Amino acid sequence: EEELYTRGINVPIKSISSTDAVFHNPAGWLNLVRPGMSLYGVYPEKKDLKAPLDLKQVLSLKARIEYVKTVEKGEGVTYWGKFIAPKKMRVGTIHCGFYDGIPREMANKGRILVDGVYKSSIGSVSLNHYLVDLENVEAEKGTVVELIGREGENTISKTAETAGWMTYSLLNHLNIYTPRVYYENGEPVAVLDLSS
């Protein structure tokens, strides 16, 4: 900074602080900070949980079940039969996949909130489909499910950890063309849909 001044260069607004610096390096705040993912209420790393900011995740990812079917015991589902039904099962196909930002590493590992109950994903994550076990829930075609929740078993941090991803990566892979619904005081106030 001093060298710039000696050369007669005055930079009136200075910004070098990412979310990490916002949490841990006040000397680097200068005039502005770039909080990035903390705007979503997400701590980048576990060490950040001790930061002097109380964040609450605001983002969730929801989709609809587009098809419900019965899978017989021994039948395989998704690519390469990534899941073999251990018994007769009711399975829902969700219209969301790795195109939308669900990590492919969530194959057989996802936790999906269906009718207030966390259910397991089954099989691989395809480009735009994700399957869920519908045992003991009443969900049907058209039911909205939560793939990433603001709290519980499928938060951004827990989903990223399960996939072996950084939280940064999970947020960066959310597809820009997936429609966004913005809420204020629990009510939807705006929709952003770049796909149309």
Side-chain angles (χ1 to χ4, degrees), residues 50-63:
K50 296 179 182 176
L53 289 175
D54 185 22
L55 300 181
K56 182 177 179 183
Q57 184 180 313
V58 296
L59 178 145
S60 64
L61 178 61
K62 298 179 181 182

mmCIF file with all atom_site columns, all heavy atoms in Angstrom, residues 50-63:
data_model
loop_
_atom_site.group_PDB
_atom_site.id
_atom_site.type_symbol
_atom_site.label_atom_id
_atom_site.label_alt_id
_atom_site.label_comp_id
_atom_site.label_asym_id
_atom_site.label_entity_id
_atom_site.label_seq_id
_atom_site.pdbx_PDB_ins_code
_atom_site.Cartn_x
_atom_site.Cartn_y
_atom_site.Cartn_z
_atom_site.occupancy
_atom_site.B_iso_or_equiv
_atom_site.pdbx_formal_charge
_atom_site.auth_seq_id
_atom_site.auth_comp_id
_atom_site.auth_asym_id
_atom_site.auth_atom_id
_atom_site.pdbx_PDB_model_num
ATOM 1   N N   . LYS A 1 50 ? -16.012 -21.440 15.361 1.00 0.00 ? 50 LYS A N   1
ATOM 2   C CA  . LYS A 1 50 ? -15.630 -20.643 16.534 1.00 0.00 ? 50 LYS A CA  1
ATOM 3   C C   . LYS A 1 50 ? -15.518 -19.160 16.200 1.00 0.00 ? 50 LYS A C   1
ATOM 4   O O   . LYS A 1 50 ? -15.172 -18.356 17.055 1.00 0.00 ? 50 LYS A O   1
ATOM 5   C CB  . LYS A 1 50 ? -14.303 -21.152 17.085 1.00 0.00 ? 50 LYS A CB  1
ATOM 6   C CG  . LYS A 1 50 ? -14.380 -22.584 17.604 1.00 0.00 ? 50 LYS A CG  1
ATOM 7   C CD  . LYS A 1 50 ? -13.040 -23.075 18.113 1.00 0.00 ? 50 LYS A CD  1
ATOM 8   C CE  . LYS A 1 50 ? -13.154 -24.512 18.584 1.00 0.00 ? 50 LYS A CE  1
ATOM 9   N NZ  . LYS A 1 50 ? -11.866 -25.063 18.993 1.00 0.00 ? 50 LYS A NZ  1
ATOM 10  N N   . ALA A 1 51 ? -15.809 -18.786 14.975 1.00 0.00 ? 51 ALA A N   1
ATOM 11  C CA  . ALA A 1 51 ? -15.739 -17.373 14.573 1.00 0.00 ? 51 ALA A CA  1
ATOM 12  C C   . ALA A 1 51 ? -16.796 -16.570 15.333 1.00 0.00 ? 51 ALA A C   1
ATOM 13  O O   . ALA A 1 51 ? -17.822 -17.116 15.730 1.00 0.00 ? 51 ALA A O   1
ATOM 14  C CB  . ALA A 1 51 ? -15.960 -17.240 13.070 1.00 0.00 ? 51 ALA A CB  1
ATOM 15  N N   . PRO A 1 52 ? -16.545 -15.263 15.520 1.00 0.00 ? 52 PRO A N   1
ATOM 16  C CA  . PRO A 1 52 ? -17.482 -14.444 16.309 1.00 0.00 ? 52 PRO A CA  1
ATOM 17  C C   . PRO A 1 52 ? -18.740 -14.015 15.544 1.00 0.00 ? 52 PRO A C   1
ATOM 18  O O   . PRO A 1 52 ? -19.312 -12.979 15.833 1.00 0.00 ? 52 PRO A O   1
ATOM 19  C CB  . PRO A 1 52 ? -16.623 -13.229 16.683 1.00 0.00 ? 52 PRO A CB  1
ATOM 20  C CG  . PRO A 1 52 ? -15.658 -13.103 15.564 1.00 0.00 ? 52 PRO A CG  1
ATOM 21  C CD  . PRO A 1 52 ? -15.356 -14.521 15.122 1.00 0.00 ? 52 PRO A CD  1
ATOM 22  N N   . LEU A 1 53 ? -19.156 -14.802 14.585 1.00 0.00 ? 53 LEU A N   1
ATOM 23  C CA  . LEU A 1 53 ? -20.396 -14.535 13.852 1.00 0.00 ? 53 LEU A CA  1
ATOM 24  C C   . LEU A 1 53 ? -21.306 -15.743 13.991 1.00 0.00 ? 53 LEU A C   1
ATOM 25  O O   . LEU A 1 53 ? -20.881 -16.876 13.802 1.00 0.00 ? 53 LEU A O   1
ATOM 26  C CB  . LEU A 1 53 ? -20.112 -14.300 12.365 1.00 0.00 ? 53 LEU A CB  1
ATOM 27  C CG  . LEU A 1 53 ? -19.406 -13.009 11.987 1.00 0.00 ? 53 LEU A CG  1
ATOM 28  C CD1 . LEU A 1 53 ? -19.097 -13.009 10.497 1.00 0.00 ? 53 LEU A CD1 1
ATOM 29  C CD2 . LEU A 1 53 ? -20.257 -11.797 12.325 1.00 0.00 ? 53 LEU A CD2 1
ATOM 30  N N   . ASP A 1 54 ? -22.562 -15.506 14.296 1.00 0.00 ? 54 ASP A N   1
ATOM 31  C CA  . ASP A 1 54 ? -23.535 -16.579 14.424 1.00 0.00 ? 54 ASP A CA  1
ATOM 32  C C   . ASP A 1 54 ? -24.310 -16.677 13.115 1.00 0.00 ? 54 ASP A C   1
ATOM 33  O O   . ASP A 1 54 ? -25.205 -15.872 12.853 1.00 0.00 ? 54 ASP A O   1
ATOM 34  C CB  . ASP A 1 54 ? -24.470 -16.286 15.604 1.00 0.00 ? 54 ASP A CB  1
ATOM 35  C CG  . ASP A 1 54 ? -25.427 -17.434 15.865 1.00 0.00 ? 54 ASP A CG  1
ATOM 36  O OD1 . ASP A 1 54 ? -25.127 -18.575 15.450 1.00 0.00 ? 54 ASP A OD1 1
ATOM 37  O OD2 . ASP A 1 54 ? -26.480 -17.200 16.484 1.00 0.00 ? 54 ASP A OD2 1
ATOM 38  N N   . LEU A 1 55 ? -23.929 -17.631 12.291 1.00 0.00 ? 55 LEU A N   1
ATOM 39  C CA  . LEU A 1 55 ? -24.552 -17.768 10.981 1.00 0.00 ? 55 LEU A CA  1
ATOM 40  C C   . LEU A 1 55 ? -25.672 -18.798 11.007 1.00 0.00 ? 55 LEU A C   1
ATOM 41  O O   . LEU A 1 55 ? -25.612 -19.789 11.719 1.00 0.00 ? 55 LEU A O   1
ATOM 42  C CB  . LEU A 1 55 ? -23.510 -18.199 9.939  1.00 0.00 ? 55 LEU A CB  1
ATOM 43  C CG  . LEU A 1 55 ? -22.320 -17.269 9.729  1.00 0.00 ? 55 LEU A CG  1
ATOM 44  C CD1 . LEU A 1 55 ? -21.402 -17.837 8.654  1.00 0.00 ? 55 LEU A CD1 1
ATOM 45  C CD2 . LEU A 1 55 ? -22.772 -15.867 9.367  1.00 0.00 ? 55 LEU A CD2 1
ATOM 46  N N   . LYS A 1 56 ? -26.670 -18.558 10.174 1.00 0.00 ? 56 LYS A N   1
ATOM 47  C CA  . LYS A 1 56 ? -27.777 -19.492 10.009 1.00 0.00 ? 56 LYS A CA  1
ATOM 48  C C   . LYS A 1 56 ? -27.974 -19.705 8.509  1.00 0.00 ? 56 LYS A C   1
ATOM 49  O O   . LYS A 1 56 ? -28.218 -18.751 7.770  1.00 0.00 ? 56 LYS A O   1
ATOM 50  C CB  . LYS A 1 56 ? -29.045 -18.918 10.638 1.00 0.00 ? 56 LYS A CB  1
ATOM 51  C CG  . LYS A 1 56 ? -30.223 -19.859 10.549 1.00 0.00 ? 56 LYS A CG  1
ATOM 52  C CD  . LYS A 1 56 ? -31.443 -19.279 11.249 1.00 0.00 ? 56 LYS A CD  1
ATOM 53  C CE  . LYS A 1 56 ? -32.615 -20.236 11.117 1.00 0.00 ? 56 LYS A CE  1
ATOM 54  N NZ  . LYS A 1 56 ? -33.828 -19.690 11.713 1.00 0.00 ? 56 LYS A NZ  1
ATOM 55  N N   . GLN A 1 57 ? -27.840 -20.947 8.075  1.00 0.00 ? 57 GLN A N   1
ATOM 56  C CA  . GLN A 1 57 ? -27.948 -21.241 6.641  1.00 0.00 ? 57 GLN A CA  1
ATOM 57  C C   . GLN A 1 57 ? -29.307 -20.810 6.105  1.00 0.00 ? 57 GLN A C   1
ATOM 58  O O   . GLN A 1 57 ? -30.342 -21.108 6.692  1.00 0.00 ? 57 GLN A O   1
ATOM 59  C CB  . GLN A 1 57 ? -27.737 -22.737 6.402  1.00 0.00 ? 57 GLN A CB  1
ATOM 60  C CG  . GLN A 1 57 ? -27.740 -23.101 4.925  1.00 0.00 ? 57 GLN A CG  1
ATOM 61  C CD  . GLN A 1 57 ? -27.528 -24.578 4.699  1.00 0.00 ? 57 GLN A CD  1
ATOM 62  O OE1 . GLN A 1 57 ? -26.638 -25.179 5.274  1.00 0.00 ? 57 GLN A OE1 1
ATOM 63  N NE2 . GLN A 1 57 ? -28.365 -25.163 3.862  1.00 0.00 ? 57 GLN A NE2 1
ATOM 64  N N   . VAL A 1 58 ? -29.302 -20.109 4.966  1.00 0.00 ? 58 VAL A N   1
ATOM 65  C CA  . VAL A 1 58 ? -30.540 -19.615 4.368  1.00 0.00 ? 58 VAL A CA  1
ATOM 66  C C   . VAL A 1 58 ? -30.924 -20.359 3.093  1.00 0.00 ? 58 VAL A C   1
ATOM 67  O O   . VAL A 1 58 ? -32.061 -20.259 2.636  1.00 0.00 ? 58 VAL A O   1
ATOM 68  C CB  . VAL A 1 58 ? -30.459 -18.100 4.068  1.00 0.00 ? 58 VAL A CB  1
ATOM 69  C CG1 . VAL A 1 58 ? -30.307 -17.311 5.351  1.00 0.00 ? 58 VAL A CG1 1
ATOM 70  C CG2 . VAL A 1 58 ? -29.333 -17.768 3.104  1.00 0.00 ? 58 VAL A CG2 1
ATOM 71  N N   . LEU A 1 59 ? -30.010 -21.102 2.513  1.00 0.00 ? 59 LEU A N   1
ATOM 72  C CA  . LEU A 1 59 ? -30.267 -21.775 1.239  1.00 0.00 ? 59 LEU A CA  1
ATOM 73  C C   . LEU A 1 59 ? -30.791 -23.189 1.470  1.00 0.00 ? 59 LEU A C   1
ATOM 74  O O   . LEU A 1 59 ? -30.310 -23.903 2.337  1.00 0.00 ? 59 LEU A O   1
ATOM 75  C CB  . LEU A 1 59 ? -28.959 -21.845 0.440  1.00 0.00 ? 59 LEU A CB  1
ATOM 76  C CG  . LEU A 1 59 ? -29.007 -22.555 -0.901 1.00 0.00 ? 59 LEU A CG  1
ATOM 77  C CD1 . LEU A 1 59 ? -28.064 -21.857 -1.875 1.00 0.00 ? 59 LEU A CD1 1
ATOM 78  C CD2 . LEU A 1 59 ? -28.645 -24.022 -0.797 1.00 0.00 ? 59 LEU A CD2 1
ATOM 79  N N   . SER A 1 60 ? -31.776 -23.565 0.683  1.00 0.00 ? 60 SER A N   1
ATOM 80  C CA  . SER A 1 60 ? -32.206 -24.960 0.611  1.00 0.00 ? 60 SER A CA  1
ATOM 81  C C   . SER A 1 60 ? -32.416 -25.291 -0.867 1.00 0.00 ? 60 SER A C   1
ATOM 82  O O   . SER A 1 60 ? -32.605 -24.397 -1.694 1.00 0.00 ? 60 SER A O   1
ATOM 83  C CB  . SER A 1 60 ? -33.484 -25.201 1.419  1.00 0.00 ? 60 SER A CB  1
ATOM 84  O OG  . SER A 1 60 ? -34.558 -24.473 0.888  1.00 0.00 ? 60 SER A OG  1
ATOM 85  N N   . LEU A 1 61 ? -32.346 -26.569 -1.185 1.00 0.00 ? 61 LEU A N   1
ATOM 86  C CA  . LEU A 1 61 ? -32.560 -27.027 -2.564 1.00 0.00 ? 61 LEU A CA  1
ATOM 87  C C   . LEU A 1 61 ? -33.704 -28.029 -2.549 1.00 0.00 ? 61 LEU A C   1
ATOM 88  O O   . LEU A 1 61 ? -33.633 -29.057 -1.871 1.00 0.00 ? 61 LEU A O   1
ATOM 89  C CB  . LEU A 1 61 ? -31.293 -27.670 -3.129 1.00 0.00 ? 61 LEU A CB  1
ATOM 90  C CG  . LEU A 1 61 ? -31.394 -28.242 -4.548 1.00 0.00 ? 61 LEU A CG  1
ATOM 91  C CD1 . LEU A 1 61 ? -31.735 -27.154 -5.565 1.00 0.00 ? 61 LEU A CD1 1
ATOM 92  C CD2 . LEU A 1 61 ? -30.100 -28.946 -4.939 1.00 0.00 ? 61 LEU A CD2 1
ATOM 93  N N   . LYS A 1 62 ? -34.761 -27.684 -3.288 1.00 0.00 ? 62 LYS A N   1
ATOM 94  C CA  . LYS A 1 62 ? -35.944 -28.534 -3.328 1.00 0.00 ? 62 LYS A CA  1
ATOM 95  C C   . LYS A 1 62 ? -36.251 -28.943 -4.769 1.00 0.00 ? 62 LYS A C   1
ATOM 96  O O   . LYS A 1 62 ? -35.889 -28.239 -5.709 1.00 0.00 ? 62 LYS A O   1
ATOM 97  C CB  . LYS A 1 62 ? -37.145 -27.796 -2.733 1.00 0.00 ? 62 LYS A CB  1
ATOM 98  C CG  . LYS A 1 62 ? -36.949 -27.435 -1.272 1.00 0.00 ? 62 LYS A CG  1
ATOM 99  C CD  . LYS A 1 62 ? -38.141 -26.692 -0.712 1.00 0.00 ? 62 LYS A CD  1
ATOM 100 C CE  . LYS A 1 62 ? -37.901 -26.332 0.746  1.00 0.00 ? 62 LYS A CE  1
ATOM 101 N NZ  . LYS A 1 62 ? -39.060 -25.658 1.329  1.00 0.00 ? 62 LYS A NZ  1
ATOM 102 N N   . ALA A 1 63 ? -36.930 -30.057 -4.896 1.00 0.00 ? 63 ALA A N   1
ATOM 103 C CA  . ALA A 1 63 ? -37.349 -30.540 -6.216 1.00 0.00 ? 63 ALA A CA  1
ATOM 104 C C   . ALA A 1 63 ? -38.609 -31.377 -6.034 1.00 0.00 ? 63 ALA A C   1
ATOM 105 O O   . ALA A 1 63 ? -38.987 -31.701 -4.909 1.00 0.00 ? 63 ALA A O   1
ATOM 106 C CB  . ALA A 1 63 ? -36.236 -31.363 -6.867 1.00 0.00 ? 63 ALA A CB  1
#
